[in-house]
């Protein structure tokens, strides 16, 4: 589930579904490299002079970063992301008259930013576990007065590939 955060101004931003894959590779006993790929619909909203335009587009989001394990069931990751448009943008709301609406980032081919993830594993058995991942993505390429940074929540199934030696998570 993903929701664009209304930070600069209020606009309707419902939670939307998507799909994702997260891979981790241990560097040592406490953490490792994480690569995450998500596909979702994202909202972009710009406000000028009390008028709002909101657009939606499909995005492929790829994040690369470092995940640190505090406990065998609790970790955090900090990463850099790029996301790519996968189709045409759709206007959700347009308060502007004629064609004088500002441009949103929905039509941008590529965007960049940073994300922070907290992950919890409430259950595991042998090589399988269930994960809860909460993520905040902050865009550094947003237009002026645009809300496009988002929060997401993922419930997933994890398969552990490496050998389970003492001290590895």
């Amino acid at each position: 589930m993903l929701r664009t955060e209304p930070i600069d101004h209020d606009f309707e931003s419902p939670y939307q579904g998507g799909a994702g894959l997260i891979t981790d590779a241990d560097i040592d006993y406490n953490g490792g490299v994480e690569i995450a790929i998500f596909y979702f619909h994202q909202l972009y909203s710009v406000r000028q002079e009390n008028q709002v335009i909101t657009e939606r587009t499909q995005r492929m989001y790829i994040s690369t970063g470092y995940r640190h394990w505090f406990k065998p069931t609790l970790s955090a990751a900090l990463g850099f992301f790029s996301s790519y448009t996968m189709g045409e943008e759709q206007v959700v709301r347009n308060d502007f008259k004629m064609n004088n609406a500002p441009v949103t980032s929905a039509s941008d081919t590529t965007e960049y930013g940073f994300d922070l993830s907290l992950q919890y594993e409430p259950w595991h058995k042998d090589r399988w576990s269930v994960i809860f991942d909460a993520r905040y993505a902050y865009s550094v390429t947003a237009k002026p007065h645009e809300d496009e940074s988002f929060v997401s929540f993922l419930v997933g199934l994890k398969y552990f590939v490496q050998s389970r030696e003492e001290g590895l998570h």
Side-chain angles (χ1 to χ4, degrees):
M1 291 178 47
L2 173 129
R3 179 176 188 260
T4 300
E5 282 298 291
I7 297 170
D8 184 72
H9 60 281
D10 266 341
F11 68 98
E12 188 175 329
S13 180
Y15 283 99
Q16 302 179 83
L21 175 68
I22 301 172
T23 60
D24 294 323
D26 289 343
I27 293 175
D28 59 22
Y29 294 116
N30 296 315
V33 175
E34 175 180 278
I35 299 172
I37 300 171
F38 299 100
Y39 172 81
F40 50 76
H41 288 94
Q42 185 174 357
L43 292 175
Y44 299 83
S45 188
V46 174
R47 180 187 66 179
Q48 281 184 356
E49 300 173 6
N50 295 324
Q51 294 178 312
V52 173
I53 182 168
T54 304
E55 295 180 320
R56 174 181 35 235
T57 191
Q58 301 169 48
R59 305 291 294 182
M60 183 64 68
Y61 167 95
I62 302 170
S63 174
T64 304
Y66 178 79
R67 178 162 298 280
H68 180 80
W69 291 93
F70 300 106
K71 297 180 176 183
T73 59
L74 182 65
S75 66
L78 181 62
F80 174 78
F81 77 81
S82 57
S83 71
Y84 307 92
T85 301
M86 306 287 292
E88 296 294 318
E89 67 273 7
Q90 301 168 342
V91 176
V92 175
R93 174 182 172 184
N94 188 354
D95 298 343
F96 293 87
K97 307 277 190 253
M98 296 187 219
N99 293 330
N100 65 347
V103 177
T104 72
S105 296
S107 59
D108 290 355
T109 303
T110 308
E111 298 178 322
Y112 301 99
F114 297 94
D115 68 2
L116 174 65
S117 163
L118 295 175
Q119 197 174 92
Y120 175 64
E121 291 183 28
W123 175 87
H124 74 270
K125 182 176 181 179
D126 298 324
R127 294 183 176 272
W128 293 95
S129 61
V130 171
I131 64 165
F132 297 124
D133 184 277
R135 192 170 295 257
Y136 180 75
Y138 177 77
S139 175
V140 296
T141 55
K143 306 276 192 275
H145 306 289
E146 179 177 47
D147 286 335
E148 70 167 89
S149 296
F150 63 85
V151 294
S152 66
F153 302 98
L154 170 80
V155 177
L157 190 59
K158 178 178 175 181
Y159 181 75
F160 191 79
V161 177
Q162 294 173 301
S163 65
R164 285 223 180 251
E165 295 178 18
E166 185 64 32
L168 289 177
H169 304 294

